[in-house]
Amino acid sequence: MVNLLNKYLYAKGTCNVVVRNITTGDVDYQSNKMQTSQFATTCDMGAIQAGIGNATVIQIPHNSAVNLTLTAADFSMNARAMSVGSVLTYGGISPVCEVITADSASLSVTNTPAAPYGYTKAICNVVEAGVTNAPGTAYTIDTTTKAIIGFTATSGKSYTVTYFQQNASSEYFNIGGMFAPAIKHVTVQIPIYSASGAENVLQGTKVGDLYIIIPRMQFGGKADIEASQTAAATTDLSGTALTYEEASAEGVCNDCSIPGLAQVLYVPAASVNSSVVGLAVVGGSMTVKKNASAKVPVKGVMPNGSLQQLDYTTMTYTIVSGGTSTATVDEDGDVTGVAAGDTEMTVALKDSADVKTTVAITVTA
């Protein structure tokens, strides 16, 4: 088994920043011309000392004390999670961008949508493909039908839709615990590289993206403009993450009651199941009544041993020869009982057929 927690990755440069209205989800600012970015977390630890030799009794977090700084050349999500007292987790809600050609006035996304970190509903932004300076209006997506609510499409036209979905292979950790004019939802995208086989980091291959998501960032109020003949003016987007209570006191946060301050999310460039190392049948088997249907109770096994629910459309389902007289299964993993009896089914990943499992099926009368 490959231990993906020990991957040697490198973060290099900011490639995109999106600033959203906290309440509506509308895009208020977007830029892929970022010069520099820095995500910093600080916490001063004060030691209370007593006893013989002034032994440390307790460490109290506050704004002054002893700081520990550790620097490593490679990028490690796990080390960062430990540094803030968090735990690295799989199954993050990550951004998806797809081009959809409308065949009617309604428009639906392909993947199962989910509410992104900082929101309680699945949202999306729709622009006509190829159009620039389009409005950043946000629409809600029905998580069951995948239909975009309130948007009227023109049949035959293509649209670029940006939304979110759960990605089993996305690694993330939450930071829970940290002020100025506007308070916005900010997403920062940073490319991640692997230097395996390369002479140095700068010759590495892009293997994914790191997203820093701050659901309530209060900007620093800097609107400086330097009208220089030798250098282009820059835009300062600096700010501080607020808690839900702090943002509520400022009159915002109708739909941002997330307790944490920020989320650091790593999304591999490979398929959504690229980090899945096995499949597990919850309960060991499944039982379905005749003429009734039920989902296959299968989940993906992640490198840290945790289980994540995979998108059923990313797996294949095969009933053993002759078993279809007992049960049938469709491409969405819905098993239907045909006649009382027992049979078996093989479930495998579409993009990695070697990752598979057998499901015992019992159909009751």
Side-chain angles (χ1 to χ4, degrees), residues 111-364:
N111 303 302
T112 302
Y117 185 75
Y119 290 95
T120 58
K121 58 187 178 182
I123 61 170
C124 71
N125 298 97
V126 185
V127 298
E128 188 176 335
V131 173
T132 58
N133 300 321
T137 303
Y139 298 91
T140 301
I141 310 177
D142 188 310
T143 56
T144 301
T145 66
K146 305 179 185 179
I148 300 173
I149 301 172
F151 180 77
T152 303
T154 300
S155 182
K157 281 191 175 182
S158 294
Y159 298 88
T160 300
V161 183
T162 303
Y163 59 105
F164 297 81
Q165 74 168 129
Q166 184 176 26
N167 186 326
S169 297
S170 295
E171 306 167 20
Y172 74 93
F173 59 90
N174 295 331
I175 300 174
M178 276 209 162
F179 180 56
I183 301 174
K184 301 292 182 181
H185 182 287
V186 178
T187 302
V188 179
Q189 181 182 4
I190 301 172
I192 298 294
Y193 297 87
S194 171
S196 298
E199 293 183 3
N200 57 60
V201 176
L202 298 181
Q203 295 177 348
T205 301
K206 186 174 183 292
V207 294
D209 291 284
L210 182 71
Y211 293 91
I212 298 171
I213 304 176
I214 303 177
R216 300 165 298 266
M217 193 183 90
Q218 189 167 45
F219 290 98
K222 292 182 66 66
D224 301 359
I225 299 176
E226 182 180 353
S228 170
Q229 294 287 353
T230 59
T234 60
T235 301
D236 192 309
L237 296 172
S238 303
T240 301
L242 301 182
T243 65
Y244 172 63
E245 290 76 13
E246 290 171 329
S248 295
E250 296 290 337
V252 299
C253 272
N254 293 335
D255 187 28
C256 63
S257 57
I258 302 299
L261 292 176
Q263 183 181 88
V264 180
L265 168 73
Y266 171 61
V267 183
S271 69
V272 296
N273 292 333
S274 61
S275 294
V276 177
V277 297
L279 297 176
V281 181
V282 179
S285 61
M286 70 177 296
T287 300
V288 61
K289 292 182 179 181
K290 179 181 176 180
N291 298 326
S293 297
K295 283 286 188 184
V296 179
V298 64
K299 291 190 176 185
V301 181
M302 308 314 296
N304 61 359
S306 65
L307 299 180
Q308 285 294 324
Q309 183 60 63
L310 308 182
D311 190 320
Y312 280 95
T313 61
T314 64
M315 295 178 282
T316 61
Y317 312 91
T318 307
I319 301 287
V320 296
S321 178
T324 53
S325 60
T326 302
T328 60
V329 62
D330 63 17
E331 60 183 9
D332 290 323
D334 292 308
V335 176
T336 302
V338 177
D342 299 316
T343 188
E344 289 186 344
M345 172 178 59
T346 299
V347 181
L349 296 183
K350 287 184 177 179
D351 52 13
S352 184
D354 291 337
V355 180
K356 59 186 177 181
T357 191
T358 299
V359 184
I361 304 171
T362 298
V363 177
T364 59

